[in-house]
Amino acid sequence: VVLCSPCIPLLFMGEEWAASSPFPYFAGPRDPELDDAVQRGRAQEFGDFGWDPADIPDPIAMSTLDAARLQWDELRDGYHAEMLDWYRRVIALRRERPELSDPRPGATAVDELDSEAAMVMWRGDTAIAVNIGDHSLRLALDTAPDRRVLLASDAEARLVDGSIVLPAHSVAIVGR
């Protein structure tokens, strides 16, 4: 959705290959007084969210930085390689179809749906259908006869009578 929205997509620290490394805030040791203030501030901030203080990464500790280092060898492994390939295909489609990178907010529409687990975002004549739910869904698109699935995260995604059938936890980009 982010790669097809009317903004410049920003990806963070290996997001494009589903890196297993966490992305914690890290400040590094500097001045003892400032370090103490940063540690207290982070503890309070995360405490306000109900985190156990023992689970809050110390923003000054070198171990926090070390844990966040990307594991570049993941790029070649199963799920991580598949995710990187998916991002590359979506970016290639974004280059091929100008409507997917149109920066004008007015060039984007989102269909109102009964399901909180799904959405259809329209970028010009291209639909980005998303199902984050645990069950397959059928989402209405339109009756244009020449629509086709341009890219789907699940091979079971299919067009049926002006709708897209999306398996659980999947996305499909549909266009003409």
Side-chain angles (χ1 to χ4, degrees):
V1 171
V2 170
L3 290 175
C4 296
S5 68
C7 62
I8 296 172
L10 300 174
L11 304 178
F12 295 94
M13 272 192 58
E15 179 180 351
E16 67 276 22
W17 78 79
S20 63
S21 306
F23 186 56
Y25 173 78
F26 177 76
R30 296 167 294 204
D31 171 83
E33 189 175 318
L34 179 57
D35 291 349
D36 184 55
V38 169
Q39 288 169 317
R40 281 185 284 113
R42 294 303 280 183
Q44 180 179 343
E45 178 183 357
F46 282 86
D48 290 346
F49 290 118
W51 284 44
D52 180 339
D55 294 335
I56 301 168
D58 181 354
I60 306 305
M62 289 305 293
S63 60
T64 302
L65 173 64
D66 292 340
R69 291 188 196 281
L70 292 174
Q71 298 175 35
W72 292 97
D73 57 333
E74 289 180 338
L75 285 167
R76 298 180 296 277
D77 293 338
Y79 174 72
H80 301 287
E82 290 173 23
M83 186 61 74
L84 180 59
D85 180 62
W86 169 256
Y87 269 80
R88 286 177 171 161
R89 290 186 293 147
V90 174
I91 290 168
L93 191 61
R94 180 182 162 96
R95 284 189 192 122
E96 293 169 18
R97 301 185 71 90
E99 67 270 22
L100 293 179
S101 59
D102 185 340
R104 297 172 301 140
T108 303
V110 177
D111 289 349
E112 295 277 337
L113 302 176
D114 291 334
S115 172
E116 292 180 11
M119 69 172 256
V120 176
M121 178 173 68
W122 290 91
R123 300 287 289 145
D125 196 36
T126 301
I128 297 90
V130 179
N131 177 7
I132 62 170
D134 294 329
H135 305 286
S136 180
L137 290 175
R138 184 173 175 157
L139 304 173
L141 296 176
D142 61 19
T143 57
D146 56 345
R147 289 219 175 273
R148 61 188 174 93
V149 176
L150 303 171
L151 190 60
S153 63
D154 189 306
E156 299 296 316
R158 65 191 184 285
L159 293 170
V160 177
D161 299 325
S163 297
I164 181 87
V165 177
L166 281 178
H169 308 285
S170 67
V171 61
I173 302 173
V174 179
R176 296 174 133 160

